[in-house]
Amino acid sequence: MSSHLTQLASRLQNIAPFHVMELAKMAAELERQGRHIIHMGIGEPDFTAAQPVIDAATRAMADGKLQYTSATGLPELRAAIAAHYQAVYGIEVDPARIIVTAGASAALLLACAALVEKDAQVLMSDPSYPCNRHFVAAFDGQAKMIASGPEHRFQLSAEMVEQNWCGQTRGVLLASPSNPTGTSIEAGELRKIVETVRAKQGFTIVDEIYNGLRYDAEPFSALSLGEDVIVINSFSKYFNMTGWRLGWLVVPPELVQPIEKLAQNLFICASSLAQHAGLACFEPEALAIYEARKAEFKRRRDYIVPALQDLGFKVPVMPDGAFYVYADCSAWSDDADQLTVDILNEAGVVIVPGLDFGPSTAHQYVRVSYATSMENLQEAVARLRAFRDRRIK
């Protein structure tokens, strides 16, 4: 008997699948065949939750602390996040402006649900994390991708915002540091962007989920630029808690109640177990672990960037954060998508084509994640060198 499917919502046409996942499936099949694959495609720390966090989760389970929390999160966790902003960035944030969410994805969904209307346009850089434009599309808005090349650090500038703003534009969605590029918006430029958007009475959302993993500058958060800036963050990257699904957003005072209302209806609350565990992230013992891991990420970056350049990749902007290198592969191929498939099949290394991140760099760039061990990075470089040498012959 054939089944009858209800007609799907038209907005699904505006949400593209992850091409990266096709590579992941191919890699999994090769591993089932016995091949050893080095994964440098996944945007996930190879470190897992620190022991104090695991211990806190165990205690919370033993104590039965598993009931719903407030939709805005545990008061003590919101206070701990506020104290973290004070300690690291010197910014005083009212805990009442902090809303704990089911990962940064939920934070972005809530922000878009509150601010994006049908056909509203949101400016963002091309390249950028694909889900960010899909969050806008989920609420029938339009993400306007603006080609942002290496001369702009792959980021928007105030001038680009000014030039691309139109009657439909409602705001900007930035990421600093960025996935896929690992580059940050320089503080002075970010201030100009915020001032430009503010003058147009638009909103500025800044995704700072990699902000704890900045290697070359003093700590800086967009929250220092005014209470009207909306900041997204997560426990996934710096705090290595990807599968725990815990994040937060900081909003202007007037947005707290509308966001709380949405959170109550859409999520009820973030995982109470994850929230109790997340409290331990801010203990000195845990922070020492995270800082040591951050230093290891920097060590890997300082190895892989020159190694890629030696192989013939161009790295036009030194990534100053996250754990990605966005590399120009045009000396190897004019088809990054096919190149990454060939590298997987022939060298057993997963890297990601620019295809998912926007049209302007789709065929010329690849994203390399260094969220894997130094031994794996060294082996991957050896395999890539052998792959290149076979091609040259």
Side-chain angles (χ1 to χ4, degrees):
M1 181 186 290
S2 62
S3 62
H4 173 71
L5 285 177
T6 302
Q7 185 175 348
L8 295 173
S10 60
R11 70 173 61 88
L12 283 171
Q13 297 169 17
N14 300 321
I15 298 177
F18 258 137
H19 294 91
V20 168
M21 300 316 295
E22 293 305 309
L23 271 178
K25 285 191 280 188
M26 292 167 62
E29 179 57 34
L30 290 174
E31 286 176 318
R32 278 192 291 272
Q33 296 170 16
R35 292 277 302 278
H36 176 256
I37 304 298
I38 298 175
H39 292 271
M40 298 172 66
I42 298 173
E44 180 172 41
D46 54 317
F47 303 112
T48 57
Q51 193 61 47
V53 173
I54 296 168
D55 293 343
T58 303
R59 286 195 302 272
M61 284 191 289
D63 295 343
K65 293 181 177 178
L66 302 175
Q67 292 85 4
Y68 293 140
T69 72
S70 160
T72 53
L74 288 171
E76 55 267 46
L77 183 57
R78 297 164 79 193
I81 293 168
H84 188 66
Y85 278 114
Q86 179 69 60
V88 176
Y89 303 103
I91 304 169
E92 189 171 330
V93 180
D94 183 353
R97 294 174 52 211
I98 297 169
I99 295 160
V100 178
T101 58
S105 296
L108 282 158
L109 277 171
L110 288 166
C112 289
L115 297 167
V116 176
E117 295 196 87
K118 181 175 170 56
D119 298 327
Q121 189 184 85
V122 181
L123 307 182
M124 57 186 73
S125 63
D126 171 6
S128 64
Y129 179 55
C131 291
N132 286 359
R133 65 180 183 266
H134 295 152
F135 292 134
V136 172
F139 295 97
D140 299 318
Q142 300 173 3
K144 182 172 183 181
M145 307 283 289
I146 301 169
S148 310
E151 68 277 15
H152 299 290
R153 300 177 53 77
F154 301 111
Q155 295 279 7
L156 292 188
S157 66
E159 183 180 4
M160 292 155 75
V161 170
E162 184 70 53
Q163 289 172 348
N164 286 276
W165 199 279
C166 70
Q168 285 179 279
T169 311
R170 293 293 175 269
V172 298
L173 202 174
L174 314 169
S176 182
S178 158
N179 174 9
T181 68
T183 63
S184 301
I185 305 173
E186 292 171 338
E189 191 62 41
L190 184 55
R191 180 179 297 278
K192 290 179 189 174
I193 293 172
V194 169
E195 289 170 351
T196 299
V197 175
R198 187 179 287 145
K200 297 180 182 300
Q201 297 185 309
F203 62 78
T204 301
I205 301 173
V206 186
D207 173 347
E208 291 190 343
I209 70 171
Y210 294 100
N211 208 25
L213 296 173
R214 291 181 70 173
Y215 308 116
D216 304 322
E218 289 298 308
F220 173 82
S221 170
L223 286 176
S224 65
L225 302 177
E227 279 195 351
D228 56 338
V229 179
I230 297 163
V231 164
I232 309 289
N233 214 317
S234 172
F235 285 82
S236 291
K237 310 303 181 179
Y238 175 74
F239 295 115
N240 313 146
M241 291 176 67
T242 49
W244 299 71
R245 308 316 303 132
L246 192 64
W248 73 87
L249 74 164
V250 186
V251 299
E254 64 271 19
L255 261 185
V256 172
Q257 193 278 328
I259 295 277
E260 180 178 11
K261 178 173 67 174
L262 286 166
Q264 287 168 339
N265 283 277
L266 296 178
F267 297 102
I268 299 180
C269 67
S271 160
S272 55
L273 177 61
Q275 290 189 61
H276 284 287
L279 273 167
C281 288
F282 303 103
E283 295 174 0
E285 181 189 356
L287 288 170
I289 293 168
Y290 296 130
E291 284 299 299
R293 291 174 175 181
K294 175 180 176 179
E296 174 60 16
F297 278 132
K298 182 179 186 295
R299 187 173 80 97
R300 295 172 185 176
R301 181 203 64 170
D302 292 344
Y303 165 75
I304 197 64
V305 169
L308 289 170
Q309 290 171 322
D310 185 59
L311 288 168
F313 292 97
K314 295 176 187 171
V315 182
V317 187
M318 181 67 161
D320 61 293
F323 32 67
Y324 308 111
V325 184
Y326 209 49
D328 183 337
C329 64
S330 52
W332 285 49
S333 173
D334 59 2
D335 184 350
D337 196 24
Q338 186 59 50
L339 176 65
T340 56
V341 171
D342 292 345
I343 287 173
L344 171 59
N345 285 322
E346 298 177 37
V349 176
V350 182
I351 60 176
V352 173
L355 197 59
D356 279 327
F357 306 111
S360 72
T361 57
H363 304 295
Q364 187 183 356
Y365 279 83
V366 293
R367 187 192 75 179
V368 179
S369 167
Y370 51 89
T372 189
S373 69
M374 185 66 86
E375 292 74 20
N376 278 343
L377 293 179
Q378 291 166 341
E379 174 62 21
V381 167
R383 292 185 187 186
L384 288 169
R385 183 175 291 111
F387 171 87
R388 180 200 63 182
D389 292 347
R390 285 194 302 272
R391 284 213 157 190
I392 290 172
K393 291 174 184 175

